[in-house]
Amino acid sequence: MFDTRSYLKEEMDNYPTNGVMLNDSLSKLSLINKYLGNTSITLKAVVEILERKPKEIFHIVDLGCGAGDNLRAIGNWCIKKGRKIKLTGIDGNKNILSYAMSQNDKVKINYKHVNILDTQFELERCDIVISSHFIYRFTDAELIHFISRSSDKVRSAIIFSELQRHVVPYVAFSIFGRLFSLNTMVLQDGLKAIKNSFQKRELRDILKQVDVSSFNIKWKWAFRYLIIIKS
């Protein structure tokens, strides 16, 4: 069941999806990302890069930004440090972007409605690319192609925070979802995401086939991988 990747379609990837259930799902996912560490893992990786060049204004692009949690965390850190930052969030679901824009307070984020999985998608030039729980939507060949043609647009690093495909998080999330009454969309999409995700050897094999200066894959709490690709 977990030896090979699945390619199951998530309800949240159904772009016309909107309404109360979508908003509730995004709210629940924000809490899950916060308390299971995804937001803090991504923030820490970005901060380590920002602190090396404290006077530069970085442009950070979030692919599949969803509700904008990671960008807001980065923006809030920069505000506290008195740093200027340019933040761009890209997502293929305009209803998700509407929700994201409704959550903004003092953090300025430029949201763009674009289908990243479209073969015509072109990444804009930037300093750092981040993405969480998104790249498993590519096939292996598509991901190799995407990184190969995008890495030269990124000055510093590409940072992915991705789920690990494993029976333990699958069973744990199933139990967690029922205990905390997650709605059907969050529960079913979460289980599909785990089945669609990668194992470390697969990520390593993919990254060995792209032209990047270096990469690092680290296992993190709550069964996820932090992948940092140096451009």
Side-chain angles (χ1 to χ4, degrees), residues 73-87:
I74 294 166
N76 282 320
W77 182 88
C78 288
I79 288 171
K80 290 178 182 177
K81 298 295 182 179
R83 284 195 66 155
K84 292 183 178 180
I85 193 84
K86 180 180 178 182
L87 303 171

Side-chain angles (χ1 to χ4, degrees), residues 19 25 35-36 62-63 116 128 168-169 175 189 214-215:
S25 299
Y35 290 110
L36 291 186
D62 188 354
L63 300 177
I116 301 161
I128 300 172
V168 173
I175 295 170
D189 277 3
S214 66
F215 66 85

Side-chain angles (χ1 to χ4, degrees), residues 18-77:
N18 59 21
V20 175
M21 180 170 282
L22 177 64
N23 292 347
D24 180 64
S25 299
L26 292 167
S27 175
K28 294 289 197 312
L29 287 172
S30 292
L31 291 174
I32 291 169
N33 285 331
K34 178 180 179 181
Y35 290 110
L36 291 186
N38 178 55
T39 304
S40 61
I41 288 168
T42 302
L43 175 61
K44 183 178 179 181
V46 170
V47 166
E48 287 179 359
I49 296 173
L50 296 182
E51 288 184 330
R52 293 181 200 138
K53 298 181 179 179
K55 295 187 178 181
E56 289 195 18
I57 300 175
F58 279 72
H59 178 199
I60 299 176
V61 174
D62 188 354
L63 300 177
C65 64
D69 301 320
N70 287 330
L71 291 176
R72 277 195 299 279
I74 294 166
N76 282 320
W77 182 88

Side-chain angles (χ1 to χ4, degrees), residues 8-224:
L8 301 171
K9 181 78 171 177
E10 294 181 32
E11 181 60 30
M12 202 166 287
D13 288 339
N14 178 17
Y15 293 153
T17 298
N18 59 21
V20 175
M21 180 170 282
L22 177 64
N23 292 347
D24 180 64
S25 299
L26 292 167
S27 175
K28 294 289 197 312
L29 287 172
S30 292
L31 291 174
I32 291 169
N33 285 331
K34 178 180 179 181
Y35 290 110
L36 291 186
N38 178 55
T39 304
S40 61
I41 288 168
T42 302
L43 175 61
K44 183 178 179 181
V46 170
V47 166
E48 287 179 359
I49 296 173
L50 296 182
E51 288 184 330
R52 293 181 200 138
K53 298 181 179 179
K55 295 187 178 181
E56 289 195 18
I57 300 175
F58 279 72
H59 178 199
I60 299 176
V61 174
D62 188 354
L63 300 177
C65 64
D69 301 320
N70 287 330
L71 291 176
R72 277 195 299 279
I74 294 166
N76 282 320
W77 182 88
C78 288
I79 288 171
K80 290 178 182 177
K81 298 295 182 179
R83 284 195 66 155
K84 292 183 178 180
I85 193 84
K86 180 180 178 182
L87 303 171
T88 301
I90 303 176
D91 204 283
N93 189 322
K94 64 181 180 181
N95 299 308
I96 289 178
L97 291 179
S98 294
Y99 177 88
M101 286 185 277
S102 74
Q103 303 304 300
N104 280 349
D105 43 19
K106 56 189 176 182
V107 178
K108 182 179 179 181
I109 301 172
N110 179 33
Y111 288 108
K112 294 185 177 182
H113 176 220
V114 183
N115 180 6
I116 301 161
L117 300 177
D118 191 308
T119 55
Q120 300 302 311
F121 172 76
E122 288 287 341
L123 179 68
E124 60 187 292
R125 293 196 175 277
C126 58
D127 298 294
I128 300 172
V129 165
I130 63 172
S131 186
S132 296
H133 307 169
F134 181 79
I135 62 171
Y136 62 76
R137 291 169 170 84
F138 289 105
T139 65
D140 291 5
E142 288 170 342
L143 183 56
I144 291 168
H145 179 65
F146 175 78
I147 297 174
S148 295
R149 66 188 173 89
S150 299
S151 60
D152 64 347
K153 304 281 185 66
V154 185
R155 186 168 66 95
S156 293
I158 300 171
I159 299 170
F160 296 139
S161 176
E162 288 296 320
L163 300 168
Q164 177 188 8
R165 189 178 75 250
H166 195 280
V167 63
V168 173
Y170 186 88
V171 172
F173 188 76
S174 181
I175 295 170
F176 175 88
R178 289 172 172 83
L179 285 176
F180 291 92
S181 301
L182 298 181
N183 69 46
T184 304
M185 184 186 294
V186 174
L187 179 58
Q188 295 304 319
D189 277 3
L191 295 175
K192 290 176 184 177
I194 294 169
K195 294 175 74 173
N196 292 348
S197 296
F198 298 91
Q199 293 182 356
K200 188 173 183 179
R201 59 177 173 78
E202 296 166 337
L203 289 167
R204 188 186 298 113
D205 289 344
I206 286 169
L207 293 174
K208 283 181 178 179
Q209 297 181 62
V210 298
D211 183 19
V212 293
S213 60
S214 66
F215 66 85
N216 194 301
I217 305 170
K218 294 182 180 179
W219 188 90
K220 296 291 183 178
W221 158 246
F223 288 88
R224 69 179 64 252

